Every structure is written in structure tokens, then in C-alpha cells.
């Protein structure tokens, strides 16, 4: 079965601390994985995709097939990073995204 | 471009009433998705349209839910009759070329409360 698991509902860190938002998946074959972010009073939007191997707003995510993980990391958190983060996976049929339940990141000074 | 437009933004209704949620996708996008967001279950896909045709409606909870896309610029999600457990935020999203690109553009959502 295809599934995305985000084990943490809430992650609270201090400004300047490293951040790691966990995402694990189950999927047969090669998954296509993404991170979405929803800032307060804004729309849910794409943050980054694993295939691009990009760094967006200081965030990176590496696909680890052995551990079936796609954790989102940032070395130094900023207050403006406070938001809800969703990990997502393209379903087996290639028709839609399956989302995890999301993790709220709270960065305080 | 105003992005994906949903209406109403908020709806409060009583159990048993019919609810219709509306969505206008981004012009030129040929894929449209309806998702439901709840605290317990997160974001769940309800239905996916491609070129106005329903492709995957396996996420539609039951016969009380129906969705249509009469043309490329409009879609509706209807709940009849509504029940308190339908209370959620309903999101519409559109994309060019389906979910494979991973970039879905979301509307602001319609928050439904069924009393």
C-alpha cells in the first residue's frame, strides 16, 4: 500500500537551531516525493521536489530508499519558517498526490 | 492570475442540508483535484479530473458526495444530505499535466461546518 507518514504533529525549535521534519513512505517502485508548505493565511504550495535535488529557502530533502525516508532539513531555522509542512507522494497510478498528515513547525526566538 | 478560486470560503449548515462547493481552476490547467482536510485524517484525495473527465473517484466517501466538471473552468463538489462528520476544509487544486509533475496549485479552501 502507498502511504506517507509524518510521525510528528508539532515540532518546536529555537531560532538558529537545526530542523529535521520526518517523512517516511511506503511505495512499490521508485517514488516521486515532494514537500509542501502552508504559511499562516497562505495557500498550500510546493516547497521542493526530490527529483530536482534543490535547496529552497535553505531547506533540503534527501531520498533514502533504504530507510524509505524523505526528511526535510534546514541547518539554521528562522522564525519565518514557522508553518505547516506536508510530505507528499505521487500515487501508484500517477494520477494524484498522497499527503502525510502534516507537521507544524514552530520557530521561536 | 488569481490562482485557483474557491467559493464559499466558509459555510455553516445544518445536518441534512445540501452543500455545494465551487472551484475555478487556473486557466490552461487540465487536471483538477478535490481534497478534504481534517485533523484526524489530514489531506485526503476525493476525486481527480483530467480534461474535465473524472479519472479517479475512489476517495469519495459515499454516495452522498458527488463532483462534476462541466467545463474546463468550473467544478463543483456536492454533499447531499450533509452530516456533521463532513465538517472539514475542502481544497480544490489544479495542475498542468497531472500529479506527476508534483506541482499542484491549491485554492484557499472552503471551510464547511455541519451542525
Amino acid at each position: 500500500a502507498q502511504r506517507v507518514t509524518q510521525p510528528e504533529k508539532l515540532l518546536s525549535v529555537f531560532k538558529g537551531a537545526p530542523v529535521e521534519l520526518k517523512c517516511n513512505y511506503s511505495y512499490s517502485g521508485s517514488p516521486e516525493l515532494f514537500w509542501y508548505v502552508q504559511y499562516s493565511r497562505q495557500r498550500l504550495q510546493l516547497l521542493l521536489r526530490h527529483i530536482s535535488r534543490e535547496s529552497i529557502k535553505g531547506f533540503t530533502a534527501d531520498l533514502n530508499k533504504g530507510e524509505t525516508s524523505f526528511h526535510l532539513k534546514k541547518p539554521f531555522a528562522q522564525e519565518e519558517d514557522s508553518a505547516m509542512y506536508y510530505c507528499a507522494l505521487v500515487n501508484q497510478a500517477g494520477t494524484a498526490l498522497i499527503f502525510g498528515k502534516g507537521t507544524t513547525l514552530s520557530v521561536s526566538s | 492570475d488569481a490562482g485557483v478560486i474557491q467559493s464559499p470560503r466558509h459555510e455553516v449548515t445544518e445536518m441534512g442540508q445540501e452543500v455545494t462547493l465551487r472551484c475555478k481552476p487556473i486557466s490552461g490547467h487540465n487536471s483538477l483535484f478535490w481534497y478534504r482536510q481534517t485533523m484526524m485524517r489530514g489531506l485526503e484525495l476525493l476525486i481527480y479530473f483530467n480534461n474535465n473527465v473524472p479519472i479517479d473517484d475512489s476517495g469519495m466517501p459515499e454516495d452522498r458526495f458527488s463532483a462534476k466538471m462541466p467545463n474546463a473552468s468550473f467544478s463543483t463538489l456536492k454533499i447531499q444530505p450533509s452530516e456533521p462528520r463532513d465538517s472539514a476544509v475542502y481544497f480544490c487544486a489544479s495542475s498542468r499535466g497531472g500529479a506527476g509533475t508534483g506541482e499542484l496549485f491549491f485554492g484557499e479552501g472552503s471551510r464547511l461546518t455541519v451542525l
Side-chain angles (χ1 to χ4, degrees):
Chain A
Q2 49 207 345
R3 186 165 51 242
V4 177
T5 303
Q6 294 181 251
E8 302 143 327
K9 275 196 139 176
L10 172 66
L11 183 63
S12 296
V13 302
F14 286 108
K15 178 181 169 182
V19 169
E20 181 177 72
L21 297 162
K22 292 184 168 44
C23 171
N24 290 92
Y25 66 90
S26 70
Y27 187 86
S28 296
S30 294
E32 293 178 64
L33 287 149
F34 309 87
W35 277 97
Y36 273 73
V37 61
Q38 187 172 26
Y39 299 103
S40 178
R41 298 202 225 352
Q42 292 188 29
R43 301 170 189 231
L44 188 60
Q45 59 188 289
L46 177 66
L47 178 62
L48 56 79
R49 60 194 91 193
H50 94 268
I51 201 164
S52 301
R53 295 183 150 277
E54 55 203 346
S55 173
I56 303 290
K57 299 184 179 183
F59 284 98
T60 58
D62 289 319
L63 176 60
N64 185 323
K65 289 188 178 181
E67 296 183 359
T68 60
S69 69
F70 186 56
H71 303 328
L72 184 67
K73 300 177 184 179
K74 184 169 183 176
F76 307 103
Q78 303 298 315
E79 288 181 76
E80 54 265 31
D81 297 328
S82 296
M84 180 76 132
Y85 291 81
Y86 290 93
C87 183
L89 166 74
V90 177
N91 67 2
Q92 213 79 53
T95 56
L97 289 181
I98 299 170
F99 286 86
K101 291 188 180 181
T103 299
T104 299
L105 174 65
S106 175
V107 182
S108 54
S109 56
Chain B
D1 194 336
V4 174
I5 300 173
Q6 290 186 245
S7 65
R9 292 291 312 283
H10 301 275
E11 174 93 8
V12 180
T13 191
E14 293 193 345
M15 182 173 66
Q17 297 299 304
E18 177 179 295
V19 173
T20 300
L21 308 178
R22 298 172 179 79
C23 175
K24 182 180 188 311
I26 293 172
S27 177
H29 284 190
N30 63 344
S31 295
L32 184 138
F33 309 83
W34 282 99
Y35 281 88
R36 178 172 66 176
Q37 182 185 48
T38 60
M39 289 290 289
M40 290 295 293
R41 302 170 72 98
L43 268 169
E44 301 173 278
L45 176 68
L46 298 177
I47 189 168
Y48 158 59
F49 290 89
N50 185 252
N51 293 325
N52 313 339
V53 175
I55 302 298
D56 181 357
D57 65 355
S58 58
M60 295 286 264
E62 49 200 270
D63 291 347
R64 297 185 297 107
F65 284 68
S66 62
K68 293 182 179 179
M69 192 164 186
N71 57 60
S73 58
F74 184 65
S75 176
T76 59
L77 178 68
K78 187 176 290 188
I79 308 172
Q80 164 66 14
S82 58
E83 295 183 4
R85 61 190 166 126
D86 301 331
S87 297
V89 181
Y90 291 81
F91 287 99
C92 177
S94 70
S95 74
R96 194 190 305 272
T101 63
E103 184 149 27
L104 272 55
F105 292 82
F106 282 80
E108 294 179 293
S110 293
R111 183 177 294 277
L112 173 65
T113 302
V114 184
L115 304 174

